[in-house]
Amino acid sequence: MVTLKDEISSQENMEQWMSQLGHPENPISNKGVLVRLQPQFVSCDFEKRENCIAFEALPWEQNPGGTLHGGIIITCFDVAFGLTCHYYAKQHQITTVNLTTTFLKPVFLGDVVEYRVRITHLGRTLVSMMAEGHVNRKGKDVLIGTATATFMK
């Protein structure tokens, strides 16, 4: 397991750390809501402070209308923000201070939503980020929502 305390930050280290999301021994993603949401690492850019995490819309996440529940979409944004922030915060605990979401399109069962996160400010205490959620529909990249967040280290 790649740990944040022991490794030097780099593109390679970030890719290795993020790719361990589903590992049963990962203390970050082996319990709670992350186990149910099943996040999948897609890509990252260490220098640009960007990260992409994907989640498949699962049956238990549906609202009564048959689309992905808005609370799940927000939770996925929060998780993608949190994983990105956690990498750059290293061993520090983090917490969500503010999260604002705009829903643009519905997400259907089986859709795989990519949450593309970018850190806009990395301070000693606060980290500000923005993200977009995208699905591929019939070969087209569809924006399903946007979000901004502030986390505290």
Side-chain angles (χ1 to χ4, degrees), residues 137-153:
R137 294 220 175 106
K138 298 178 184 176
K140 288 187 177 182
D141 185 49
V142 177
L143 180 65
I144 61 95
T146 62
T148 58
T150 302
F151 276 62
M152 182 185 299
K153 292 193 265 182

Side-chain angles (χ1 to χ4, degrees), residues 2 7 11-21:
V2 175
E7 299 290 328
Q11 178 69 29
E12 180 182 0
N13 175 254
M14 187 175 183
E15 288 173 2
Q16 288 176 346
W17 189 81
M18 291 292 173
S19 67
Q20 297 176 148
L21 285 176

